[in-house]
């Protein structure tokens, strides 16, 4: 008597995953999809990209030189001078446009320097601990004990009035922000199981630092860097307003605001347009930074 054989149910094999599906489900595509759904991030990026294009295409946007003078002193906005002219007859639209280059340049290099130095110090303090952590943390505490703008004024006063010294001062006062953020992130990451497993395998500290810990600490630094860019623009404008930043005839927004103070009733446009430029730039970077923070925050994901 033959044994009864149960029929094996036929299952349709799953189709192989196409390259298109892999791309759609990639982390980059997920980020782009989340970014486009975030209204604040999109608005902020449009503002930032607009100012970036203005800075790059400044010579093609206006036909005037930002140092060129005319007989039309304090002329109101017109067809020939869209933003009017200042007390020296210079085209205000041209100076605002070229001022975009200075503000973005200061923000980029100042925040880049702060991120590099602050992240390196925070990485060392958080990973090694001990006397290194104590010494670096005390340096951060000393820098944070002073109001940032007063510390920047003191640094520029010692080094001399110039745009480069203002850039250096802005970079120094922002180092503790990125250093403490990196330190706290490293303290959290180095206790993870994969870091303990890497130590158990005999992996060297340098490899653990730069191959495992650092890549997992960049997200908050990138978000803070975007927000810090807006802060750097304000600080550069504040130093320029006090006469400690860019020196005439450089078209820096803070310097333009300082020159327009005495004409605020006679020619209010000389102060309105540089002020609006500062406000829009800061708004764009703040919206972009807030959007990136919400996108990268796992608590915001459903």
């Amino acid at each position: 008597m033959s044994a009864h054989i149960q029929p094996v149910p036929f299952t349709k094999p799953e189709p192989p995953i196409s390259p298109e599906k892999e791309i759609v489900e990639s982390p980059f595509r997920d980020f782009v999809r989340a970014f486009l759904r975030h209204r604040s991030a999109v608005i902020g990026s449009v503002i930032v990209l607009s100012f970036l294009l203005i800075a790059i295409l400044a010579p093609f946007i206006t036909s005037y030189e930002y140092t060129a003078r005319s007989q039309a002193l304090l002329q109101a906005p017109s067809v020939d001078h869209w933003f009017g002219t200042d007390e020296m007859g210079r085209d205000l639209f041209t100076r605002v446009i070229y001022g975009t280059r200075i503000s973005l340049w200061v923000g980029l290099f100042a925040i880049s320097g702060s991120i590099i130095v602050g992240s390196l110090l925070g990485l060392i303090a958080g990973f090694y601990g001990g006397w290194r952590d104590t010494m670096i943390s005390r340096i951060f505490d000393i820098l944070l004990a002073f109001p940032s703008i007063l510390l920047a004024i003191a640094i520029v006063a010692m080094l001399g009035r110039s745009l480069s010294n203002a850039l250096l001062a802005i970079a120094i006062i922002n180092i503790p922000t990125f250093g403490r953020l990196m330190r706290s992130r490293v303290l959290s990451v180095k206790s993870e199981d994969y870091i303990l497993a890497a130590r158990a395998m005999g992996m060297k500290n340098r490899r653990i630092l730069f191959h495992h810990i650092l890549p997992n600490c960049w997200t908050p630094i990138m978000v803070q860097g975007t927000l810090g860019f807006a802060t750097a623009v304000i600080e550069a404008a504040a130093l320029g307003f006090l006469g400690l930043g860019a020196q005439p005839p450089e078209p820096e927004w803070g310097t333009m605001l300082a020159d327009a103070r005495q004409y605020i009733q006679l020619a209010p446009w000389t102060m309105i347009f540089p002020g609006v430029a500062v406000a829009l730039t800061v708004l764009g970077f703040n919206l972009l930074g807030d959007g990136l923070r919400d996108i990268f925050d796992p608590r915001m994901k459903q």
Side-chain angles (χ1 to χ4, degrees):
M1 183 177 180
S2 61
H4 180 69
I5 300 175
Q6 295 290 340
V8 179
F10 174 76
T11 58
K12 185 178 180 180
E14 296 183 359
I17 300 177
S18 61
E20 292 79 10
K21 187 175 182 181
E22 289 182 353
I23 295 176
V24 170
E25 296 178 353
S26 66
F28 177 74
R29 286 299 181 92
D30 292 339
F31 167 77
V32 173
R33 195 179 303 115
F35 186 88
L36 294 177
R37 286 200 299 261
H38 201 288
R39 184 176 301 176
S40 297
V42 173
I43 295 175
S45 63
V46 169
I47 296 175
V48 171
L49 289 176
S50 298
F51 276 99
L52 182 61
L53 289 176
I54 289 173
I56 296 174
L57 302 176
F60 304 98
I61 296 176
T62 177
S63 58
Y64 295 98
E65 294 290 336
Y66 65 83
T67 57
R69 302 184 182 185
S70 66
Q71 299 297 324
L73 306 181
L74 297 177
Q75 179 179 317
S78 61
V79 177
D80 296 329
H81 303 284
W82 293 356
F83 289 177
T85 59
D86 61 7
E87 71 280 3
M88 295 184 181
R90 296 172 297 192
D91 183 65
L92 198 60
F93 175 75
T94 301
R95 292 183 62 79
V96 171
I97 291 298
Y98 277 93
T100 307
R101 288 185 168 185
I102 296 179
S103 295
L104 295 183
W105 182 79
V106 170
L108 175 62
F109 284 91
I111 294 303
S112 298
S114 299
I115 290 176
I116 293 173
V117 178
S119 298
L120 181 60
L121 293 176
L123 192 67
I124 295 173
F127 185 77
Y128 291 102
W131 65 269
R132 299 181 182 88
D133 186 16
T134 302
M135 182 180 66
I136 294 175
S137 297
R138 295 298 78 79
I139 294 175
F140 291 161
D141 292 338
I142 293 173
L143 292 176
L144 291 172
F146 299 93
S148 59
I149 189 63
L150 292 181
L151 182 59
I153 291 173
I155 294 173
V156 176
M158 290 187 296
L159 299 178
R161 301 181 180 186
S162 67
L163 182 60
S164 58
N165 291 337
L167 187 154
L168 179 61
I170 295 171
I172 291 174
I173 64 177
N174 284 287
I175 286 175
T177 302
F178 295 98
R180 297 185 72 176
L181 180 61
M182 176 61 79
R183 176 183 176 274
S184 63
R185 183 61 182 167
V186 170
L187 290 174
S188 175
V189 172
K190 77 174 187 178
S191 61
E192 297 289 340
D193 292 339
Y194 63 90
I195 300 298
L196 299 178
R199 289 183 181 276
M201 294 172 60
M203 190 174 295
K204 295 182 179 180
N205 289 336
R206 182 179 300 178
R207 184 175 178 82
I208 294 175
L209 271 174
F210 293 101
H211 287 80
H212 295 284
I213 293 182
L214 189 59
N216 290 284
C217 297
W218 271 121
T219 298
I221 296 296
M222 182 173 61
V223 173
Q224 183 59 40
T226 307
L227 298 173
F229 206 112
T231 304
V233 171
I234 294 179
E235 291 166 344
L239 292 176
F241 185 82
L242 297 174
L244 300 174
Q247 300 300 306
E250 292 295 327
E252 199 273 325
W253 292 335
T255 306
M256 295 168 64
L257 291 173
D259 295 337
R261 283 180 299 175
Q262 54 185 328
Y263 306 106
I264 188 171
Q265 293 182 346
L266 179 63
W269 56 85
T270 57
M271 181 171 282
I272 291 175
F273 292 110
V276 170
V278 174
L280 285 178
T281 304
V282 173
L283 176 64
F285 280 102
N286 280 333
L287 290 176
L288 180 59
D290 290 340
L292 293 177
R293 181 190 58 196
D294 294 341
I295 293 170
F296 289 125
D297 190 351
R299 292 172 297 182
M300 302 295 294
K301 297 179 180 179
Q302 298 180 355

